[in-house]
Amino acid sequence: MRTTSRYQAAARMIAAIGVLSLVAACSGNGGTPGGGATSGGYPDQNITFVVPFSAGGPTDTVTRMLAEPMAAKLGGKIVVQNVEGAGGTVGAGEVARADPDGYTVLMHHIGMSTAPALYQNLGYKPLEDFETVGLVTEVPMTVVARKDFAPATLKDLVTHVKANAGKVTLANAGIGAASHLCGLLFQTAAGVKLQEVPYAGTGPALTDLVGGQVDFMCDQTTNTSGQISAGEVKAYAVTTPERVKSLPDVPTTAEAGLPQLQVSVWHGLYVPKGTPQEVVQKLSEALKAALADQKVIDQMAKLGTAPVTAENATPQAHRAKLEEQLGTWAKIIADAGVKAS
């Protein structure tokens, strides 16, 4: 009898432990086994920030600036993962297919709004397959050339490329890259069609520009500020309405005589569609906190940019920007007749 009672007690204890284990598993995963995260327990594991471009590039740099202060606000750890390829569409596609639990986050730039017009078989729809978290920053572009290139000003550059369209080379970091998009806008504004030289990333393009293998390009201040300050390239203009504080001697395109050329590379955070709104809101609040961090502000200033306002670091403002930009770039890319494979 006593032995039987001990076995019965042990059985009841094992059953109870099983129930408690199941409850713990459920509560850590949205209330059901394998379910999404809930705001109460989020985050209880590492969060992966996917950068769909190579390490060391501008999007990667901005992401790593934010990772530490955002992790501190969230009370967890953020791991940055680079998943490059096809103008950012490989990494974006992986995030679109990830579990909507808040543990896979995408940092993307203006390319999120241009990809649908560039790629015929994209595999995802920006407005339907993602939840917007908030805008991060808008990076100015610069029109730069090899330092021994003949034109002295932006007006001179336009005159020169019109007269030598078949000889001038315009570099970019690949189809769909920010430099490619800015180059398209330059050609439209200048009324000329140039010989474009695509590279596998910004690094090699700038290396060849500094080395004199190509004539000019249009790229982000996060990439070009160092070379401009060091005198390694010739700077014609910044593509924003106001001058950039870190490059005070470089005029705006409006000041330099080409006001039609205005573009900035905006960045934003995304999570897969269906991510709980409480989690989206937690990420948005962490983003706002990071953008208000003085260290982040100072780091961005050195790169010629600044954080967006708190009002723009919201899902609503981000979605409105994405919708507007999708329409704008669809027309520009269609008019240019550009398609990516």
Side-chain angles (χ1 to χ4, degrees):
M1 291 290 291
R2 289 177 184 174
T3 302
T4 303
S5 296
R6 284 199 297 269
Y7 284 138
Q8 289 173 337
R12 286 196 294 270
M13 185 178 293
I14 291 169
I17 290 171
V19 171
L20 288 172
S21 299
L22 179 59
V23 170
C26 291
S27 62
N29 293 284
T32 57
T38 61
S39 60
Y42 177 85
D44 59 6
Q45 64 189 62
N46 290 350
I47 301 170
T48 298
F49 272 25
V50 174
V51 177
F53 305 103
S54 60
T59 304
D60 179 72
T61 299
V62 170
T63 305
R64 293 178 191 275
M65 283 181 189
L66 296 178
E68 185 177 341
M70 283 190 68
K73 175 68 175 179
L74 289 165
K77 182 179 179 181
I78 293 174
V79 178
V80 178
Q81 180 182 5
N82 298 91
V83 184
E84 56 189 288
T89 61
V90 174
E94 284 196 11
V95 176
R97 295 184 293 272
D99 291 336
D101 54 12
Y103 290 101
T104 307
V105 180
L106 173 70
M107 172 74 85
H108 209 336
H109 64 25
I110 192 172
M112 182 65 99
S113 62
T114 61
L118 284 170
Y119 294 87
Q120 294 181 348
N121 301 305
L122 188 57
Y124 60 84
K125 297 180 179 180
L127 291 174
E128 295 179 20
D129 295 326
F130 294 93
E131 305 278 359
T132 52
V133 174
L135 295 169
V136 175
T137 185
E138 294 206 29
V139 182
M141 305 287 283
T142 51
V143 182
V144 293
R146 54 184 171 86
K147 60 184 179 182
D148 60 347
F149 199 37
T153 66
L154 188 62
K155 279 187 177 180
D156 293 340
L157 175 64
V158 172
T159 301
H160 182 83
V161 298
K162 283 184 174 180
N164 301 276
K167 302 176 182 177
V168 175
T169 50
L170 173 61
N172 64 55
I175 292 178
S179 53
H180 173 237
L181 301 171
C182 187
L184 290 179
L185 283 181
F186 174 86
Q187 292 174 81
T188 299
V192 65
K193 180 64 177 174
L194 299 174
Q195 179 184 347
E196 296 184 65
V197 183
Y199 285 81
T202 298
L206 270 175
T207 296
D208 274 9
L209 184 70
V210 172
Q213 279 75 49
V214 287
D215 294 322
F216 81 110
M217 69 183 296
C218 183
D219 207 359
Q220 302 173 63
T221 55
T222 45
N223 292 326
T224 62
S225 290
Q227 286 84 354
I228 293 171
S229 299
E232 295 176 341
V233 296
K234 180 181 292 186
Y236 292 116
V238 293
T239 63
T240 45
E242 298 179 354
R243 293 196 181 197
V244 174
K245 290 182 180 180
S246 62
L247 300 169
D249 297 328
V250 180
T252 67
T253 49
E255 292 172 331
L258 197 65
Q260 308 96 311
L261 179 58
Q262 290 202 6
V263 60
S264 59
V265 181
W266 54 275
H267 292 75
L269 289 177
Y270 303 81
V271 288
K273 195 73 172 181
T275 300
Q277 286 304 303
E278 316 94 274
V279 173
V280 174
Q281 195 58 40
K282 275 198 170 187
L283 285 166
S284 182
E285 291 302 321
L287 173 61
K288 290 177 189 175
L291 295 177
D293 186 292
Q294 191 59 50
K295 183 179 178 181
V296 172
I297 294 171
D298 293 343
Q299 287 175 324
M300 285 192 178
K302 290 178 182 178
L303 298 174
T305 187
V308 300
T309 62
E311 291 77 13
N312 284 322
T314 62
Q316 297 78 15
H318 185 181
R319 185 176 178 85
K321 178 77 171 181
L322 178 59
E323 289 175 344
E324 179 268 324
Q325 288 280 284
L326 282 165
T328 296
W329 284 104
K331 184 179 187 309
I332 292 171
I333 291 169
D335 290 347
V338 179
K339 287 291 181 185
S341 56

